[in-house]
Amino acid sequence: MCGIAEAGLALGALSAGTSAIGARQQARAQYQAQLQQNEMQRRYQAQAAAAERQRAQQEQSSMRMQQAQQQEAVGRELEQVSRKSQAALARARVAAGEAGVAGASVDALMGDYMRQEAGYRAALLRQQELGAVATGLGLEQAGLASQQRLIGIRQPIAEPVRPRGLGIQDVLSVASGGLSGYVTGKSLET
């Protein structure tokens, strides 16, 4: 027949063993949950990075399109200036011819018209050049900002700690529980 001390030993050891196994199962469940959460985080990062790359490409395309529109507008304006200048020169020649004026004064008037046209052309071309520089700097800035956003998106994900098996601490806990149960059982027998 089994005594109270032996029953206490068995109950104490069983209780401590069950507790150790339960803690191990809980740790394993937490580990699995963390693995799933990490996988979801990686998927989110990949989606966010793809969205950021697409956003950056659209921003750069928009900037390039705006630059092309500005260049086209300057080109049209240069063409209009050229036509207006040629028309003004033709009118001045006709007017000078009808008035019977010739020589240095007509040449000076023609030169003045051409200088004005050249100055306006130079200003438009300089404006176009500065616009191209501004677009280049804007594209560079947009690229750097996108890189910073991607760095923020791609933060490292900490890997969970793999749960350990039943170790010496668990064995000692079972032995301690058994011993405690044995001592309690012995005290009840006397």
Side-chain angles (χ1 to χ4, degrees), residues 82-100:
S82 181
R83 272 185 281 174
K84 286 179 183 178
S85 178
Q86 288 173 1
L89 286 172
R91 279 192 307 274
R93 277 193 194 111
V94 169
E98 288 176 352

Side-chain angles (χ1 to χ4, degrees), residues 2 5 9 37 41-42 49 58 73 79 86 92 105 107 115 120 133 140 159 178 188:
C2 187
L9 170 70
Q37 185 178 6
Q41 183 70 22
R42 282 187 189 90
Q58 288 174 343
E79 189 178 312
Q86 288 173 1
S105 63
D107 289 341
R115 273 190 299 282
Y120 193 67
V133 168
E140 187 176 334
E159 290 299 320
L188 289 176

Side-chain angles (χ1 to χ4, degrees), residues 9 25 28 31 34 67 76 90 93 99 102-103 106-107 119 128 132 136-137 144 146 161-162 173 182 187 189-190:
L9 170 70
Q25 288 173 341
R28 197 178 305 149
Y31 175 75
Q34 185 65 44
Q67 179 187 22
R76 281 194 305 269
R93 277 193 194 111
V106 173
D107 289 341
Q128 188 177 33
L137 291 173
L144 292 172
S146 181
V161 176
R162 185 179 275 299
S173 174
Y182 182 78
S187 70
E189 281 183 346
T190 55

Side-chain angles (χ1 to χ4, degrees), residues 22-68:
R24 183 170 183 249
Q25 288 173 341
Q26 182 180 5
R28 197 178 305 149
Q30 286 174 341
Y31 175 75
Q32 291 300 321
Q34 185 65 44
L35 286 177
Q36 289 175 347
Q37 185 178 6
N38 285 2
E39 183 57 33
M40 286 174 44
Q41 183 70 22
R42 282 187 189 90
R43 279 191 231 133
Y44 165 76
Q45 284 180 339
Q47 290 171 351
E52 172 54 27
R53 283 190 297 274
Q54 183 177 5
R55 188 209 59 75
Q57 287 174 346
Q58 288 174 343
E59 180 181 16
Q60 290 175 349
S61 294
S62 173
M63 294 172 94
R64 286 189 179 106
M65 189 178 297
Q66 188 176 25
Q67 179 187 22

